[in-house]
Amino acid sequence: QVRLVESGGGLVQPGGSLTLSCAASGSVAGSNAMGWYRQAPGNQRELVASITNGGSTNYADSRKGRFTISRDNAKNTVYLQMNNLKPEDTAIYFCKLWSGVGQKAESSWGQGTQVTVSS
C-alpha cells in the first residue's frame, strides 16, 4: 500500500518562502503522477499543481507564477517550492499520488501539512 508523508509546512510571514516535500513509499511502481492540493477552513480541497512521471506539469493558476512543482523519481519524492507567499495561501497542503489504469486506477493521499502565512 502506498504511503505519502508531507513535510516542510509551518508559519511564514507574507513574502516569505517555503518548500514542501512529499515522500512516497510502498507500492509506487505503478505511479502515473503526483501532485499537491490545499484546503482552507470552509473551502473545498483544490488542486495546486501536479506532475507526471515524465515531468509534465500542470498548475491550477499559472498566472501567479509563484509556485513550482518538481520531483525526484529516484527518491519517489515530489516538491512544491512556494515563493512570495500571501495570507490567502494559508491552508492544509495535501500530497496525492495517482496510479494504475482503467478499472484498476486509484489514488492515495497524505495526511497533510499546515502552511500559515501571517505577520
Side-chain angles (χ1 to χ4, degrees), residues 47-110:
L47 174 70
V48 177
S50 64
I51 184 168
T52 68
N53 289 1
S56 297
T57 59
N58 183 46
Y59 296 89
D61 190 355
S62 60
R63 294 176 297 177
K64 293 183 179 181
R66 298 182 294 113
F67 293 2
T68 301
I69 189 170
S70 62
R71 67 184 299 158
D72 186 332
N73 291 332
K75 297 180 179 180
N76 292 317
T77 301
V78 64
Y79 306 91
L80 184 67
Q81 176 67 48
M82 304 185 293
N83 299 318
N84 192 24
L85 286 163
K86 303 177 180 180
E88 53 263 41
D89 295 319
T90 296
I92 301 176
Y93 285 71
F94 297 90
C95 180
K96 184 177 182 178
L97 180 148
W98 290 267
S99 64
V101 295
Q103 296 180 347
K104 300 297 182 180
E106 60 183 18
S107 60
S108 301
W109 291 95

Side-chain angles (χ1 to χ4, degrees), residues 20-45:
L20 305 182
S21 299
C22 175
S25 61
S27 302
V28 298
S31 175
N32 304 128
M34 297 180 69
W36 289 95
Y37 287 71
R38 69 185 184 187
Q39 186 170 19
N43 294 342
Q44 292 184 313
R45 190 172 299 183

